[in-house]
Amino acid sequence: MRNLLPLLLGGTITTLKIFTLTLLFSVPLGALVARGRMSKNPLISGMINIYIMIMRGTPLILQLLFVYFGPYYLFGASYDRFTAVIIGFVINYAAYFAEIYRGGVQSIPVGQWEASLVLGFSKAHTFIRVIVPQVIKRIIPAMGNEVITLVKDTALAQTIGVAELFRVAQSASARQFSTTPIVIAGVFYFIMNGVVSRSFDLLEKKLDYYQ
Amino acid sequence: MSIISVENVCKNFDELGVLKGISFTLNEGEVLSIIGPSGSGKSTLLRCLTQLERIDGGSIEVCDMLMARTDESGKVIYSDAKTLKEIRLKLGLVFQNFNLFPHMSVLRNITEALINVLGKSKGEAVAIARQLLAKMGLEEKENAYPCHLSGGQQQRVSIARALALNPSVLCFDEPTSALDPELTLEILKVIKDLAHEKMTMVVVTHEMAFARDISDRVIFMDDGLIVEEGTPEALFNNPTKDRTQRFLSRYTNP
């Protein structure tokens, strides 16, 4: 029991690393994907659409296995497991974020573009100063949902052998013939998601000054 | 002196002719009302003038600058981007549903274009905005957000926003259609005051009494064509065309 807490905290750090790096890369990548999905070029939007369909239509666990073992079977190349986890999570979450962004952008009334155009704003200025701030407000609830799911999804990293919180708890549990480590891990996830949902609540409140 | 000159303008939406050859001129200081049934093309005409739609034929000239013309083969040629932007700033547009920026305060709704499009300093922009808000009777509201204003107040802010760029012509696209009768009067009074100041205006409206009251000239449109055009007295008292009579009779004997 004495060694349990440091062990679980170590696993938590790995979990938080996966969580943070995934968000760091997938939030901007999602914007790029959304841009491609809304492209007028049918080749680009078609290809992006297929990518999104695959990411959303297959299990994340399978995607992780594919990202890590795919290069090995195809070219005999092996690489760092943690890197593979990050790549797998980023390309998966970017697809979900992209669809949220797209929905947000398309939900802004066309009148906002028209008013900006008549006032002489450039397209870039309109997008950055008029559209994006309104999109952010609209997508916060959906983003909150995804980010909470991400906290729990990090447990899938163990499928390619990365010892995150759940894996550490499971093996401790097996060694000690006790469910305590798993219950504690559950409490840890709950606390992390408490922080996440509180942050999103605050963000929502902060943007409450207009409708 | 003519500020807007429109010649034989056509516009199609998916093969469907919405404007079928519209010609008119607008002179400086003149108030022109465009009336007609829904779907007659009035709003589309306004949207072509303000470059929210591209024309499919004819020509438009604004303040002696060519916006678009049609060559011998029937192809529409628009001027270069710089001219188009210059023309855009000559025309202000007030929308039916205001289209204020909901995330910006009333003051910033007005200063945003002054600073970022006309390149005015923040101090200058704020001074212009405050002056216009005072004129609209909204000096108390500069820090409010659009969602906290009544429809009439929102529309007055949007008029101030359009006036801030000092346009040569102010266009109104059914400015009172989203408002109740009381708020409608509030907006009509603002437009009337602008008319007294000799602001050049094009007003697309369903308010017949108002059109008759403020206009120097009225155009009646139906099915993409100008049916009749004249002074408000002539058009409302003695319409010559059968179609105009039928349309106006719905307003006088409902």
Side-chain angles (χ1 to χ4, degrees):
Chain A
M1 186 67 197
R2 217 168 356 102
N3 297 328
L4 185 60
L5 229 44
L7 206 66
L8 290 181
L9 283 174
T12 304
I13 286 172
T14 307
T15 291
L16 286 174
K17 266 193 200 156
I18 298 170
F19 173 79
T20 314
L21 288 172
T22 300
L23 277 189
L24 192 69
F25 293 113
S26 61
V27 165
L29 182 65
L32 209 67
V33 174
R35 176 75 192 80
R37 178 78 174 79
M38 290 186 281
S39 166
K40 287 199 180 82
N41 182 333
L43 191 70
I44 295 176
S45 70
M47 269 162 43
I48 296 286
N49 198 18
I50 290 169
Y51 152 70
I52 291 174
M53 274 166 65
I54 293 170
M55 288 300 133
R56 299 205 305 177
T58 60
L60 175 54
I61 191 165
L62 191 151
Q63 292 165 22
L64 287 172
L65 293 171
F66 188 84
V67 166
Y68 183 62
F69 293 110
Y72 178 75
Y73 284 118
L74 291 173
F75 320 107
S78 66
Y79 64 118
D80 178 44
R81 289 162 190 274
F82 186 79
T83 310
V85 165
I86 299 303
I87 292 172
F89 273 92
V90 167
I91 58 171
N92 179 277
Y93 271 81
Y96 281 93
F97 290 155
E99 285 296 274
I100 293 175
Y101 299 162
R102 183 173 69 94
V105 169
Q106 289 175 346
S107 77
I108 304 298
V110 66
Q112 292 290 305
W113 285 99
E114 294 184 344
S116 307
L117 194 78
V118 172
L119 289 171
F121 295 166
S122 67
K123 268 202 174 141
H125 184 87
T126 304
F127 189 68
I128 294 163
R129 299 289 285 271
V130 177
I131 306 299
V132 169
Q134 297 184 59
V135 169
I136 290 174
K137 181 182 164 85
R138 287 182 188 210
I139 65 173
I140 283 176
M143 289 297 282
N145 258 338
E146 276 317 308
V147 175
I148 284 172
T149 304
L150 172 60
V151 170
K152 296 175 288 181
D153 272 357
T154 54
L156 293 174
Q158 64 177 294
T159 50
I160 52 175
V162 170
E164 43 57 61
L165 174 59
F166 198 73
R167 168 64 161 261
V168 171
Q170 247 181 334
S171 36
S173 182
R175 274 197 313 275
Q176 302 176 356
F177 299 107
S178 154
T179 51
T180 311
I182 290 183
V183 172
I184 295 175
V187 173
F188 278 19
Y189 283 112
F190 189 76
I191 292 169
M192 285 189 271
N193 269 331
V195 174
V196 169
S197 63
R198 180 90 185 108
S199 310
F200 273 91
D201 282 350
L202 287 174
L203 206 58
E204 215 171 315
K205 275 229 172 61
K206 199 168 172 299
L207 294 175
D208 224 17
Y209 65 89
Y210 74 91
Q211 266 154 20
Chain B
M1 198 192 98
S2 93
I3 284 198
I4 296 180
S5 144
V6 170
E7 227 167 285
N8 204 22
V9 160
C10 300
K11 172 75 193 170
N12 309 316
F13 286 125
D14 304 321
E15 308 291 304
L16 184 78
V18 181
L19 300 177
K20 298 171 179 170
I22 300 280
S23 304
F24 72 90
T25 55
L26 179 72
N27 299 317
E28 194 168 349
E30 195 178 26
V31 178
L32 172 71
S33 291
I34 305 176
I35 60 169
S38 299
S40 57
K42 330 180 277 299
S43 290
T44 306
L45 178 58
L46 216 53
R47 292 170 61 83
C48 287
L49 288 177
T50 48
Q51 300 181 49
L52 292 175
E53 303 285 353
R54 294 216 145 202
I55 59 173
D56 297 314
S59 72
I60 299 178
E61 212 174 292
V62 176
C63 297
D64 294 323
M65 287 179 283
L66 187 70
M67 182 197 295
R69 66 181 176 86
T70 306
D71 68 10
E72 299 75 32
S73 64
K75 204 170 147 254
V76 175
I77 301 162
Y78 268 81
S79 293
D80 58 293
K82 193 169 157 280
T83 312
L84 290 181
K85 186 170 179 192
E86 213 172 313
I87 291 175
R88 194 170 279 143
L89 295 179
K90 295 278 182 200
L91 300 171
L93 176 62
V94 174
F95 296 86
Q96 180 179 341
N97 46 6
F98 332 132
N99 289 336
L100 291 174
F101 305 129
H103 58 303
M104 296 183 189
S105 68
V106 163
L107 194 71
R108 227 189 107 200
N109 260 282
I110 302 171
T111 57
E112 185 78 3
L114 284 169
I115 296 168
N116 294 289
V117 178
L118 297 189
K120 299 221 183 278
S121 73
K122 192 163 178 241
E124 236 179 320
V126 168
I128 293 170
R130 287 201 173 127
Q131 196 191 337
L132 284 165
L133 284 174
K135 186 171 168 181
M136 296 291 149
L138 290 170
E139 54 273 82
E140 306 288 307
K141 299 288 184 188
E142 67 170 59
N143 292 318
Y145 284 86
C147 60
H148 297 127
L149 302 180
S150 73
Q153 289 170 331
Q154 290 191 46
Q155 192 58 301
R156 277 185 280 157
V157 173
S158 89
I159 293 171
R161 180 173 72 173
L163 284 173
L165 297 179
N166 198 19
S168 301
V169 183
L170 194 52
C171 304
F172 293 86
D173 187 7
E174 301 189 22
T176 60
S177 295
L179 303 173
D180 67 35
E182 231 166 81
L183 298 177
T184 296
L185 285 179
E186 183 183 313
I187 294 307
L188 296 185
K189 185 176 175 309
V190 171
I191 302 175
K192 205 170 166 179
D193 289 347
L194 289 170
H196 284 143
E197 293 168 25
K198 287 283 158 218
M199 180 81 208
T200 313
M201 293 188 280
V202 182
V203 187
V204 167
T205 184
H206 286 295
E207 299 286 331
M208 294 306 139
F210 170 71
R212 180 183 198 143
D213 189 22
I214 62 149
S215 313
D216 298 305
R217 200 147 46 95
V218 181
I219 284 176
F220 171 66
M221 275 179 74
D222 186 35
D223 196 25
L225 289 164
I226 293 179
V227 176
E228 195 165 347
E229 178 180 352
T231 61
E233 294 75 28
L235 198 118
F236 285 106
N237 297 343
N238 304 302
T240 57
K241 297 281 185 350
D242 190 44
R243 182 69 189 96
T244 320
Q245 282 166 12
R246 261 187 295 139
F247 177 75
L248 290 173
S249 71
R250 303 239 170 87
Y251 282 89
T252 42
N253 345 290

